[in-house]
Each structure stands twice: as structure tokens, then as C-alpha cells.
Amino acid sequence: ILLLPIVSVNTLSPEVLLGAAQDAARKAGVMMLSAKGSSNTIKATKANSKDLLTETDLACQHVIYDVLGKVKDTRFLGEEDVPSGAAAATAAAKNALTQSGICWVV
């Protein structure tokens, strides 16, 4: 799980951001481990037949958003929220990264 905060003007300490990221990663990690070996429903394929979107992917991203959403002035750029393709990725990144506050890249 990679959680990368991109900060433009924020008064929170790096320790607060790190603590929030660690908490989110732990909670999502527990979900991933509990889903290992179970039948994980595939919701869609993205770029190719090996780029799968599963129920566990969506559940983990939801948990991460719940935890990190408690941090003031937060928004997200989530892998599972962006359609496949370079144009969609570029547009999503530009939109997310040109605003003030914290953008968590999930």
C-alpha cells in the first residue's frame, strides 16, 4: 500500500500525516490479508486482463479514504477512481494536484 501525501500549504506536522498514513495502511493491510485465499470477486478489468479491480481493492481504498478523510483539507487521487488510459490519468492528476491542501495519492 503506497500512501503519498502531496501537501501545498498545510499546518499539520509531518508526524500527524505519517501517523494517519500508517493507520490507514494497517487497516487496509488487515483487509488484504483477510481476503487472501478467498474468492475475491472481480469487479472489472482496467488496462488489460491482468489489471484487475476486485471487491477487496475497492474495500481497501474505502477504508483508506475513511481514515485519511479525517485529516483537515484532504482530497484523494485514487487508482481505482481513475479510468484506464494516459489521458484519464493525466486529467485526474492535474485536477487533484493543482488544488491547495493535502492530496493523498492512493
Side-chain angles (χ1 to χ4, degrees), residues 56-91:
T56 301
D57 295 330
L58 294 172
C60 288
Q61 186 166 292
H62 182 75
V63 164
I64 290 168
Y65 283 13
D66 282 349
V67 173
L68 297 180
K70 295 174 186 169
V71 176
K72 184 181 174 189
D73 297 326
T74 288
R75 66 187 176 292
F76 301 95
L77 176 58
E79 175 189 8
E80 310 307 351
D81 296 332
V82 179
S84 62
T90 300

Side-chain angles (χ1 to χ4, degrees), residues 44-53 78-85:
T45 58
K46 291 182 84 175
N48 58 55
S49 63
K50 293 184 180 185
D51 186 6
L52 305 176
L53 173 62
E79 175 189 8
E80 310 307 351
D81 296 332
V82 179
S84 62

Side-chain angles (χ1 to χ4, degrees), residues 15-30:
E15 292 80 14
V16 169
L17 297 175
L18 177 61
Q22 288 172 327
D23 187 33
R26 281 187 195 101
K27 288 179 179 177
V30 166

Side-chain angles (χ1 to χ4, degrees), residues 25-39:
R26 281 187 195 101
K27 288 179 179 177
V30 166
M31 291 184 78
M32 283 184 204
L33 290 173
S34 68
K36 185 178 178 180
S38 67
S39 60

